[in-house]
Amino acid sequence: MMRRLVRRARPQTGDDAGIAMIMVMGSILVLSLLVTAAIGYSLQALPQARHDQDWNASLAAAQAGVDDYIGRLNQSDSYWQTVDCANAALKGPAAGTNTCGWTTATVVGWKQVSLSDPTVGKFHYDVDPSTIYSTGAVRVSVTGKVGTASRTIQVLVSRGGSTDFLYYTDFEDADPGNLTAYPAGAPSNNCGKAGPTSAIYYWPSGRSGCTEITFIGGDVLDGKVHFNDTPLLTNLGGNSPKFLKGYETADPGCKTGNAGNGYAGCFRGSGNPDPAGGAPVYASSLDLPDNSAAFLAYPGCQYTGDTRIKFNSDGTMTVWSYGSAGTSVGAGCGNANGPWPQTLSVPTDKVIYAKNGATAAKCAAGQVGDNIPLAADVNINTSTFYCGNGNVYLEGTVKGRVTVAAQNNVIVTGDLLIDGVAAGAATSGNSVVGLVASNSVVVYHPVNAAGNNLTAFTDRNIYASIQTLQHSFWVQSYNQGTSLGVLRVRGSIAQKWRGIVGTGSGTTGFFKDYGYDTRLTYASPPYFPQWTNAVWGSKTTGELKAAY
C-alpha cells in the first residue's frame, strides 16, 4: 500500500519535458538568426561607414592641396606663371602649356598629404591663370582622394588689393600737389614736398605745418576702411562721421584702444568713432604699387594726350582723342587720324589708357572735345590739366568690364554708372569699372574767376573702383561756389594722399556717401593693381563634381 502511494506522489513529467526541449531549441534558433542578421548587417554597413569616413577625409585632403598651392605662391609670387615639373600635384592632362612633356594623355599625378601616413590621402590640382588680369585671381581646382572616395573643390586665389576695402589712404594729410591747400607747394618733406618716401605719418610725432583733412558729421562710409595713418574726425551739427563697418588704422596707439578709453590712439579730433558699426582696430600697413608704366603693355585701347570718352548704355563709347593722330591706338579702338568723335565698342576685360603726349600747353576752350574745357573755367590754368597730358575725361553708362587708366589724371565729368543700375541704387549685374591714375582721379567742377559754378550740380554718382598711384581722389575747386550736394561712390577708393571733396563746414564741395560694391569680393576690374606687400589667399571656395 505505502509503495503504491509513493509511486502516485511522483510527478508525471514525461510529456512536459519534451515540450520544454522544443521551446529551448526554438529560442536558440531565433537567437542564432538574430545574431546572424546582426553580423550580416554589420558586414554590409562596414564598407559604407568606411566610404563615409573617406568621403569626409577626401575634402580635407583637397583643402590640404589648396594650402599647398597657396604656400608655393607665397614663396614665389610668380609661381602661377609656369608649370612646375617637379610638383607631382600639377602633373596631368589639364596641366596646360608646359616644358615637362605632359599632354592631354598624361596620367594624373598625386601628392601625398602626409609622407609618413599614406592613409591620410592625396591631392591633385589643376591651375587656370587665364583670369588673373581680368579678375585679379587664379582659378585652382583641387581634387582630394582617400581610398576610393574623391572630392573636388574650386577656389579663386588672389593677393588682394585696394578693392578689398571701400576706402583706403596711405597719408591722411593733404596731397602735396593740391595747390588750393598749398598755393606755394607743400611746406616741408614731412608733408610730402619731396615725395612719399620722405613724408611721415601723423602718429609718430605729429605733422607740423601740414594741412590735415577731416571726416565730418554727415559723411557716411558703408564698407571696410583702412588707414595707414591716423584719421581726423570732426563733429558737425552734433554728429560724428559714420563708418558703418568700422575701420582699421596702422597707428600703433590703436593697439590699446577700447571702449573704456574712448578708442584713444585710433583717431584724432573732436569726433568719435561710432562703435555701432564696429569698433576701430589696429592693422598692419598696406602698400599701394606704382605700376603705371605697366598699363602700356596691357591689351585694349591706347590713346595719346587729352582724351574724352562718353560711355553709352548699349556697350559702346564715343571717343575724342585728337592727340592720337599718327599713333597706333589698338585694334577696334578707332582711326587714330580721325575724324573724331568715333563710336566704338567698349574693350571688355581690357584697358583704356591715355599716355602723355610729347608736349603740353594750356587748353583752349573745347579743345579736348565735347565742349571741354569751358572757356571761363579757371581750372584750365593749372598745369596738370594742360592739353597734351595723358588725361581722360569721362562719364556715361558702362556696359562691360573695363579699366580706364591715365598716365596723368582721370577726370569724371558727370555721373559714371553701370548698365541696369539706377543712380544711387545698389550694384548688380556683370559690368565693372576701374579708374586708375598715376596722379589723381578728379571730379570735374568748373568755376569762373569769381568762384561761381559754371554748371549745375545735383549730386554726383560714380560706380567704379578708384585708385590713384601717386596722389589723390579730389574735387576741382572744392572750396569755390556753393554746396554741390552728395558725392556717391559705389565701389572702392584708394589713394596715396587724402583728397579733398569739400570744406569742413559743408558749404562748398560735396558731402560723402561711399558704399562698397560687394561684387569686388569675388573679382576686381581688369588689370587692377594689387598690394605690394600682401600675401596670397583664397577668396571664394565651392565644390564641384569630382574630377578624378
Side-chain angles (χ1 to χ4, degrees):
M1 174 66 84
M2 181 61 68
R3 187 178 299 166
R4 190 180 300 117
L5 290 174
V6 172
R7 189 182 297 121
R8 290 177 179 175
R10 291 176 179 170
Q12 304 295 313
T13 60
D15 294 339
D16 291 345
I19 293 173
M21 181 61 69
I22 293 172
M23 293 179 66
V24 169
M25 293 302 295
S27 297
I28 292 172
L29 178 61
V30 170
L31 289 173
S32 298
L33 292 173
L34 289 174
V35 170
T36 301
I39 293 172
Y41 176 79
S42 298
L43 291 174
Q44 290 177 355
L46 185 59
Q48 182 61 45
R50 177 73 253 180
H51 182 271
D52 289 347
Q53 183 178 350
D54 291 349
W55 174 257
N56 294 326
S58 62
L59 183 61
Q63 185 58 53
V66 173
D67 296 340
D68 179 82
Y69 188 73
I70 290 175
R72 292 172 183 269
L73 283 170
N74 284 319
Q75 289 178 353
S76 173
D77 195 51
S78 60
Y79 190 75
W80 60 271
Q81 296 180 2
T82 58
V83 177
D84 179 4
C85 300
N87 185 355
L90 284 169
K91 183 179 180 180
T97 303
N98 64 85
T99 59
C100 317
W102 300 340
T103 69
T104 55
T106 298
V107 177
V108 173
W110 300 90
K111 183 178 179 182
Q112 296 292 336
V113 174
S114 171
L115 295 177
S116 61
D117 186 2
T119 64
V120 175
K122 54 189 178 181
F123 57 80
H124 170 87
Y125 39 70
D126 296 322
V127 179
D128 176 11
S130 64
T131 59
I132 183 67
Y133 293 116
S134 61
T135 67
V138 176
R139 183 179 291 111
V140 185
S141 300
V142 186
T143 301
K145 191 167 187 177
V146 179
T148 59
S150 64
R151 297 174 75 173
T152 299
I153 59 177
Q154 187 176 89
V155 299
L156 292 179
V157 179
S158 165
R159 290 184 68 245
S162 64
T163 54
D164 294 340
F165 295 91
L166 163 66
Y167 191 87
Y168 161 94
T169 55
D170 195 7
F171 298 98
E172 277 291 291
D173 55 332
D175 186 338
N178 184 333
L179 296 179
T180 303
Y182 301 119
S188 69
N189 288 344
N190 287 350
C191 308
K193 181 178 182 178
T197 55
S198 59
I200 65 170
Y201 296 119
Y202 181 86
W203 43 262
S205 57
R207 274 188 298 252
S208 177
C210 303
T211 298
E212 303 294 335
I213 314 304
T214 184
F215 290 93
I216 64 173
D219 291 342
V220 179
L221 284 77
D222 187 5
K224 292 171 58 181
V225 175
H226 178 95
F227 304 105
N228 281 350
D229 210 345
T230 313
L232 175 61
L233 312 182
T234 302
N235 281 326
L236 180 65
N239 298 312
S240 289
K242 294 187 179 298
F243 299 88
L244 300 185
K245 300 294 189 298
Y247 66 81
E248 56 187 47
T249 170
D251 185 335
C254 194
K255 293 179 179 180
T256 57
N258 55 60
N261 61 21
Y263 304 105
C266 299
F267 72 102
R268 51 198 165 103
S270 63
N272 294 290
D274 182 1
V281 296
Y282 169 80
S284 299
S285 63
L286 295 168
D287 299 329
L288 286 173
D290 181 7
N291 63 340
S292 53
F295 283 92
L296 286 167
Y298 293 155
C301 299
Q302 186 178 115
Y303 300 110
T304 300
D306 41 285
T307 300
R308 168 65 165 162
I309 301 174
K310 294 185 79 170
F311 289 100
N312 308 308
S313 60
D314 62 356
T316 63
M317 59 183 185
T318 303
V319 180
W320 294 253
S321 188
Y322 298 105
S324 293
T327 70
S328 176
V329 295
C333 300
N335 184 340
N337 296 317
W340 302 100
Q342 298 175 43
T343 298
L344 313 163
S345 296
V346 172
T348 196
D349 282 329
K350 296 180 182 178
V351 167
I352 302 169
Y353 184 61
K355 63 181 180 180
N356 292 333
T359 61
K362 181 178 174 179
C363 295
Q367 182 175 343
V368 174
D370 196 30
N371 203 34
I372 293 176
L374 298 177
D377 184 9
V378 298
N379 291 292
I380 65 175
N381 298 316
T382 305
S383 61
T384 192
F385 300 119
Y386 278 6
C387 283
N389 287 324
N391 291 327
V392 180
Y393 297 78
L394 53 78
E395 64 180 84
T397 299
V398 179
K399 184 176 183 179
R401 292 174 45 84
V402 66
T403 292
V404 181
Q407 192 171 1
N408 200 42
N409 302 308
V410 174
I411 301 101
V412 182
T413 56
D415 282 352
L416 183 63
L417 308 176
I418 54 177
D419 74 294
V421 178
T427 55
S428 62
N430 297 319
S431 295
V432 176
V433 182
L435 303 179
V436 180
S438 294
N439 283 336
S440 295
V441 175
V442 184
V443 178
Y444 185 64
H445 176 216
V447 298
N448 61 22
N452 298 318
N453 296 341
L454 292 177
T455 57
F457 276 83
T458 54
D459 304 341
R460 179 64 70 237
N461 299 277
I462 302 175
Y463 282 69
S465 291
I466 297 167
Q467 186 158 314
T468 66
L469 302 177
Q470 298 174 8
H471 289 280
S472 57
F473 171 57
W474 57 287
V475 174
Q476 284 182 332
S477 305
Y478 58 83
N479 63 336
Q480 301 292 315
T482 58
S483 176
L484 303 177
V486 178
L487 176 60
R488 296 187 186 90
V489 176
R490 298 294 182 262
S492 64
I493 301 169
Q495 50 192 342
K496 194 68 178 177
W497 269 278
R498 177 75 180 276
I500 305 177
V501 303
T503 51
S505 62
T507 55
T508 65
F510 291 98
F511 286 99
K512 307 176 192 71
D513 179 4
Y514 299 161
Y516 184 62
D517 182 352
T518 55
R519 299 175 305 157
L520 298 173
T521 304
Y522 311 106
S524 301
Y527 298 88
F528 211 72
Q530 298 181 323
W531 303 121
T532 61
N533 61 336
V535 296
W536 289 85
S538 58
K539 299 188 72 171
T540 61
T541 302
E543 185 166 5
L544 307 176
K545 180 181 178 181
Y548 304 105

